[in-house]
């Protein structure tokens, strides 16, 4: 399913004129709730040395359908009566029941569109951070790790869901695709903290994670389009794989010629936004073109990021994109958490027990499917294979992209959607401490500890 299918026309004009201000009030209050949940969750997560994105997701769960019911969405099965926010607006505006329903649907649609724009910007930012030049230092090893890290969990997850849990093909494929992701941001942060970012293992992990991003976006484009047709069409899959590959590689190749024009245009502009506006214009245009040829819009945004990563103004552009991403990307993460009804994983309810079993299965596949990547190449007897496998485990924000799009497409059942999000949370939580343990037993651990102690002593003396 492509984003044009996920984002329907916003029916603001269909809203009664007297309700227009109430719709705006609903959107503004929704953003207040989203940003409070995002920052509180992110800060609490950061305080316990965990990725802030987890806090944003959990914050969404708290304010959403699983707990406070402040932010709920029709596509997750909620109605206006389920929303505490709508009750407040009904009291403020003295709305009729029919008007409340209209305001609820319109307000939810606006927030959903903002969330979709947020994920487009997120993938554009990921593209900017994915430096393809780093892959030259890790070569075929990173490529093998990445391919196995995509194929193994995808195949095991999809097949297991279909044969053991009788999940239909399309939802099983979507869940399998969510298992392929690797969060380069989380892994890079941990490697940097351990002083292993420039080690052989660190280079392989980061290089494989970069390739994983590319492969993951192609997989996402394929499965999202499959969700649109409702059936597995082999020729359509082949077309999508070829078109996604050609589009991505073609964009990178043509980007070498475009980069000069982009820099020249940015240098000639004199008004505010002379760099960031052309960059986002290019990103949205690429997202549109990807959409037109039946690919995922985020693939176009990701390709735009890879192209602009090669420009001389990349560092300056990075700094200008970050605050924009800080405004819109949290809307996506909080909305994903808000749409997930974790109540379906309550073991006290008999019909929920299958969802828990599915979650345990997905977590097992998610961990084992990445651990095996450390043993997929030979000729490196001294390399820390366990560290490589563990470094590929965290799904992070990339896994949430899959879950969010799967939820918006309507192909995931509530238990399966919640199980995927639980898998994303746990793999992201487990990876940092596991990576520390994996590197602790390596031959270079003592040297790293000595270096850290020396630096600490130097700081004290300074």
């Amino acid at each position: 399913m492509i984003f044009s299918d996920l984002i329907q026309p916003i029916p603001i004009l269909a809203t009664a004129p007297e309700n227009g201000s109430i719709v705006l009030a609903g959107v503004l209050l929704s953003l207040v709730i989203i940003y409070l949940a995002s920052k509180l969750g992110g800060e609490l997560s950061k305080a316990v040395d965990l990725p802030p994105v987890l806090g944003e997701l959990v914050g969404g769960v708290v304010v959403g359908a699983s707990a406070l019911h402040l932010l709920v969405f029709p596509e997750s099965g909620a109605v206006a009566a389920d929303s505490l926010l709508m009750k407040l607006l009904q009291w403020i505006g003295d709305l009729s029941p029919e008007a409340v329903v209209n305001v609820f649907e319109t307000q939810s649609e606006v927030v959903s569109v903002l969330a979709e724009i947020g994920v487009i910007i997120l993938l554009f930012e990921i593209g900017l951070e994915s430096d393809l030049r780093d892959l030259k230092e890790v070569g075929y090893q990173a490529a093998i790790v990445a391919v196995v890290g995509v194929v193994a969990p995808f195949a095991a997850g999809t097949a297991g869901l279909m044969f053991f849990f009788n999940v239909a093909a399309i939802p099983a494929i979507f869940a399998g695709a969510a298992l392929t992701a690797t969060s380069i941001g989380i892994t890079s942060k941990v490697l940097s903290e351990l002083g292993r970012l420039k080690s052989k293992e660190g280079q392989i992990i980061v290089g494989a994670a970069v390739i994983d991003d590319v492969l993951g976006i192609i997989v996402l484009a394929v499965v999202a389009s499959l969700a649109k047709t409702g059936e597995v069409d082999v020729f359509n899959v082949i077309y999508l794989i070829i078109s996604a590959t050609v589009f991505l590689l073609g964009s990178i190749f043509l980007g070498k010629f475009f980069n000069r024009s982009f820099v020249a245009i940015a240098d000639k502009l004199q008004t505010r936004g002379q760099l960031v506006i052309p960059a986002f214009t290019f990103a949205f245009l690429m997202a549109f073109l990807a959409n037109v040829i039946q690919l995922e819009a985020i693939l176009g945004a990701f390709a735009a990021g890879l192209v602009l990563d090669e420009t001389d103004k990349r560092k300056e552009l990075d700094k200008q994109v970050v605050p924009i991403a800080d405004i819109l990307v949290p809307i996506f993460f909080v909305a994903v958490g808000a749409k997930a009804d974790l109540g379906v994983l309550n073991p006290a309810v008999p019909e929920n027990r299958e969802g828990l079993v599915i979650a345990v299965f997905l977590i097992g596949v998610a961990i084992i499917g990445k651990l095996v990547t450390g043993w997929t190449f030979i000729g490196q007897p001294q390399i820390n294979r366990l560290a490589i496998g563990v470094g590929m485990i965290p799904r992070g924000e990339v896994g949430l992209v899959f879950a969010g799009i799967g939820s918006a497409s309507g192909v995931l059942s509530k238990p399966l959607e919640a199980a995927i999000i639980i898998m994303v949370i746990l793999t992201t939580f487990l990876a940092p401490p596991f990576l520390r343990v994996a590197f602790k037993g390596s031959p270079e651990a003592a040297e790293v500890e000595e270096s850290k102690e020396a630096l600490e002593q130097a700081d004290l003396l300074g």
Side-chain angles (χ1 to χ4, degrees), residues 82-121:
D82 297 327
S83 172
L84 293 180
L85 180 59
M86 287 301 110
K87 292 179 180 179
L88 175 62
L89 293 177
Q90 184 177 19
W91 176 72
I92 292 175
D94 192 22
L95 302 177
S96 66
E98 295 78 11
V100 172
V101 172
N102 184 273
V103 170
F104 173 63
E105 293 177 350
T106 305
Q107 170 261 339
S108 299
E109 194 68 41
V110 173
V111 175
S112 294
V113 170
L114 291 174
E116 300 296 352
I117 294 175
V119 73
I120 289 175
I121 292 176

Side-chain angles (χ1 to χ4, degrees), residues 348-365:
V349 181
E351 55 267 26
N352 289 348
R353 290 165 190 166
E354 181 183 1
L356 285 172
V357 176
I358 293 175
V360 172
F361 169 75
L362 290 181
I363 292 167
V365 172

Side-chain angles (χ1 to χ4, degrees), residues 63 105 119 155 174 185 212-213 231 239 272 354 357 433 438 446 456:
V63 301
E105 293 177 350
V119 73
F174 235 115
D212 235 10
D213 278 342
E231 60 183 7
Y239 162 76
R272 287 177 54 177
E354 181 183 1
V357 176
E456 291 174 358

Side-chain angles (χ1 to χ4, degrees), residues 278-295:
F280 274 109
T281 301
F282 177 60
F284 291 148
L285 176 61
M286 292 289 285
F288 167 76
L289 292 176
N291 213 335
V292 167
I293 61 175
Q294 300 181 24
L295 296 176

Side-chain angles (χ1 to χ4, degrees), residues 30-194:
S30 297
L31 291 176
V32 170
I33 293 169
I34 287 171
Y35 288 135
L36 285 175
S38 169
K39 290 309 295 177
L40 287 175
E43 291 298 324
L44 289 174
S45 183
K46 180 71 173 178
V48 294
D49 198 27
L50 291 171
V53 66
L54 288 180
E56 295 179 359
L57 175 64
V58 174
V61 171
V62 172
V63 301
S66 297
L68 299 180
H69 294 271
L70 292 171
L71 190 68
V72 295
F73 296 86
E75 55 263 38
S76 60
V79 296
D82 297 327
S83 172
L84 293 180
L85 180 59
M86 287 301 110
K87 292 179 180 179
L88 175 62
L89 293 177
Q90 184 177 19
W91 176 72
I92 292 175
D94 192 22
L95 302 177
S96 66
E98 295 78 11
V100 172
V101 172
N102 184 273
V103 170
F104 173 63
E105 293 177 350
T106 305
Q107 170 261 339
S108 299
E109 194 68 41
V110 173
V111 175
S112 294
V113 170
L114 291 174
E116 300 296 352
I117 294 175
V119 73
I120 289 175
I121 292 176
L122 171 63
L123 268 296
F124 177 55
E125 185 180 24
I126 291 175
L128 284 173
E129 295 174 355
S130 301
D131 191 346
L132 295 179
R133 289 170 293 189
D134 291 344
L135 299 180
K136 296 178 181 179
E137 298 182 5
V138 293
Y140 75 95
Q141 296 171 341
I144 293 174
V145 168
V147 171
V148 173
V150 169
V151 174
F154 177 76
T158 302
L161 288 172
M162 292 178 66
F163 290 108
F164 297 131
F165 300 99
N166 296 318
V167 177
I170 299 300
I173 291 173
F174 235 115
L179 294 168
T180 65
T182 295
S183 174
I184 185 173
I186 294 171
T187 299
S188 298
K189 179 179 182 296
V190 178
L191 289 172
S192 178
E193 290 175 348
L194 295 176

Side-chain angles (χ1 to χ4, degrees), residues 235-401:
F235 293 103
N236 188 42
V237 172
I238 294 173
Y239 162 76
L240 287 170
I241 293 175
I242 294 175
S243 59
T245 305
V246 171
F247 177 81
L248 190 60
L249 296 180
S251 299
I252 297 171
F253 175 75
L254 294 176
K256 296 179 180 180
F257 303 97
F258 170 79
N259 286 338
R260 297 177 183 176
S261 301
F262 175 81
V263 173
I265 292 172
D267 286 338
K268 290 182 179 179
L269 297 177
Q270 300 297 318
T271 56
R272 287 177 54 177
Q274 64 266 35
L275 179 61
V276 72
I277 295 299
F280 274 109
T281 301
F282 177 60
F284 291 148
L285 176 61
M286 292 289 285
F288 167 76
L289 292 176
N291 213 335
V292 167
I293 61 175
Q294 300 181 24
L295 296 176
E296 195 63 36
I298 57 175
L299 178 60
F302 182 74
L306 289 177
V307 169
L308 295 183
D309 175 67
E310 300 296 320
T311 66
D312 296 334
K313 295 183 177 292
R314 178 224 171 195
K315 292 184 178 179
E316 183 181 353
L317 181 58
D318 275 343
K319 293 179 181 178
Q320 295 187 25
V321 169
V322 167
I324 298 174
D326 288 343
I327 294 173
L328 291 172
V329 174
I331 302 177
F332 172 74
F333 288 125
V334 174
V336 169
K339 291 177 182 178
D341 185 3
L342 300 188
V344 298
L345 296 179
N346 182 4
V349 181
E351 55 267 26
N352 289 348
R353 290 165 190 166
E354 181 183 1
L356 285 172
V357 176
I358 293 175
V360 172
F361 169 75
L362 290 181
I363 292 167
V365 172
I367 293 175
I368 296 173
K370 294 294 186 179
L371 281 179
V372 299
T373 60
W375 284 265
T376 53
F377 52 87
I378 58 176
Q380 300 285 339
Q382 300 299 322
I383 204 161
N384 191 333
R385 299 177 185 274
L386 178 61
I388 292 174
V390 172
M392 298 293 291
I393 288 177
R395 268 54 178 192
E397 66 280 1
V398 184
L400 295 181
V401 171

Side-chain angles (χ1 to χ4, degrees), residues 396-416:
E397 66 280 1
V398 184
L400 295 181
V401 171
F402 283 84
I405 293 175
S407 173
S409 68
V411 301
L412 298 178
S413 64
K414 284 190 175 182
L416 185 56

